[in-house]
Amino acid sequence: MVEDLDQKIRDSKKGMSPIVKTIVRFAMGIIILFGAYIVLYGHLTPGGGFSGGVILACAFIILTLAFGKDLALTKMGDTAASILDNSGALAFIVIGILGFTGGFFFLNFISHGKLFQLFSAGIIPLCNIAVGLKVTSSLFAVFIALSIFGRFISKLVDEE
Amino acid sequence: MILYFLSLVLFVMGLYCLIAKKNIIKKIIGIVITEYSINLFLILIGYRKDGIAPILFRGMARAEIPDRAVDPLPQALVLTSIVIGLGVLALMVAICLRLYEKYKTFDMSEINKLKG
């Protein structure tokens, strides 16, 4: 299945030249790894949900630019982006409301752990992950809305 | 003080671009330049000579943060401002696309079918 898709991408004439496609295929994993690192270590080092989310969204945007819209829409379509966007916002609100178990809104109710450990700081990494999910999917949704569906709508207007 | 004045110059340049240019895309660029000059000004308010980032690193005493670190409040403010600026930019570009579909031009002086 993966081989099949890979072959189809290599053969298709859409997108940019084979040089760009090869470089993007190499860089893709590294960019996504870096974005995930920025999101997960947001409570220890500079960074956090928004910056990591922007890097992850840029990875998807590079994929769209290099391989054309078909591959990018199979990796993350507009419906999937919308669902992830809403679930990120919902997760953030749920984390905030769960603070009422201890008394008030956005209470850090999980154990804080040791300083400078990855699993520490209570709910802050969870909030970072929720924000990162929302920023990734909503930025990519904005990109595909402006580029792909913008062209689609203008075609509809022309037909009318 | 000279840096505050330079950010004011950047603000005025963005305002000039917003008022004088007829192309809508150039107007959007002017708005973004204005926004960034305000962000730069707010960041410069929190600046401190030989300051460090307001983050507690390993092997650092806690008292070092209020003694040496730059002011974190303008940085948090500007981060929020950047996010809002991104949303406003996406909205402006979307409106521009709709205008281009309707009028087939980006020139402001030719978009004159608005009644009332």
Side-chain angles (χ1 to χ4, degrees):
Chain A
M1 180 60 197
V2 176
E3 285 293 316
D4 197 33
L5 191 67
D6 212 43
Q7 193 63 39
K8 211 183 284 177
I9 291 161
R10 200 168 292 153
D11 291 341
S12 76
K13 290 278 183 281
K14 283 182 180 172
M16 292 191 181
S17 65
I19 302 171
V20 179
K21 285 186 183 178
T22 312
I23 295 296
V24 165
R25 198 177 294 135
F26 283 137
M28 202 64 207
I30 301 170
I31 295 173
I32 289 183
L33 195 68
F34 182 62
Y37 163 77
I38 295 281
V39 172
L40 290 179
Y41 279 76
H43 54 296
L44 299 176
T45 55
F50 181 73
S51 346
V54 169
I55 293 170
L56 286 172
C58 283
F60 283 107
I61 289 173
I62 287 175
L63 197 72
T64 319
L65 292 178
F67 289 102
K69 66 178 178 184
D70 292 332
L71 178 77
L73 287 183
T74 52
K75 295 279 185 206
M76 192 199 272
D78 52 328
T79 321
S82 176
I83 290 171
L84 280 178
D85 185 7
N86 293 330
S87 65
L90 203 64
F92 196 76
I93 292 176
V94 164
I95 289 168
I97 287 175
L98 279 180
F100 278 120
T101 54
F104 48 89
F105 200 47
F106 271 112
L107 177 71
N108 203 338
F109 59 93
I110 306 176
S111 132
H112 293 195
K114 273 180 155 180
L115 216 56
F116 305 119
Q117 300 268 313
L118 176 56
F119 296 103
S120 65
I123 63 168
I124 296 175
L126 298 177
C127 287
N128 269 335
I129 290 170
V131 172
L133 199 66
K134 179 162 176 59
V135 170
T136 307
S137 48
S138 61
L139 264 186
F140 186 62
V142 164
F143 177 75
I144 56 178
L146 285 180
S147 61
I148 298 169
F149 298 129
R151 259 182 283 163
F152 179 66
I153 290 170
S154 62
K155 210 178 288 176
L156 279 185
V157 169
D158 281 345
E159 279 168 8
E160 282 176 11
Chain B
M1 204 61 206
I2 187 82
L3 285 173
Y4 293 166
F5 184 72
L6 284 178
S7 76
L8 179 71
V9 169
L10 199 61
F11 182 87
V12 173
M13 278 164 65
L15 208 62
Y16 169 76
C17 183
L18 178 60
I19 293 170
K21 297 292 175 188
K22 281 185 176 170
N23 195 322
I24 315 180
I25 301 292
K26 288 179 183 171
K27 277 182 192 289
I28 289 180
I29 294 173
I31 292 176
V32 171
I33 290 174
T34 313
E35 214 174 84
Y36 285 173
S37 77
I38 293 168
N39 287 351
L40 185 65
F41 176 68
L42 287 175
I43 284 288
L44 281 175
I45 287 175
Y47 179 73
R48 181 186 230 180
K49 204 163 188 309
D50 297 327
I52 57 172
I55 297 167
L56 191 63
F57 287 111
R58 207 183 285 269
M60 213 167 97
R62 280 181 193 227
E64 222 169 331
I65 294 255
D67 284 346
R68 289 182 54 204
V70 296
D71 194 358
L73 184 67
Q75 299 193 357
L77 211 68
V78 164
L79 186 64
T80 317
S81 162
I82 288 172
V83 176
I84 294 169
L86 191 69
V88 171
L89 178 66
L91 182 68
M92 286 190 296
V93 171
I95 291 174
C96 260
L97 281 179
R98 298 296 298 175
L99 276 175
Y100 186 78
E101 279 163 14
K102 194 138 177 76
Y103 295 99
K104 300 290 179 217
T105 178
F106 281 127
D107 196 337
M108 203 64 205
S109 57
E110 291 179 26
I111 302 174
N112 51 9
K113 287 181 186 166
L114 188 67
K115 298 284 194 300

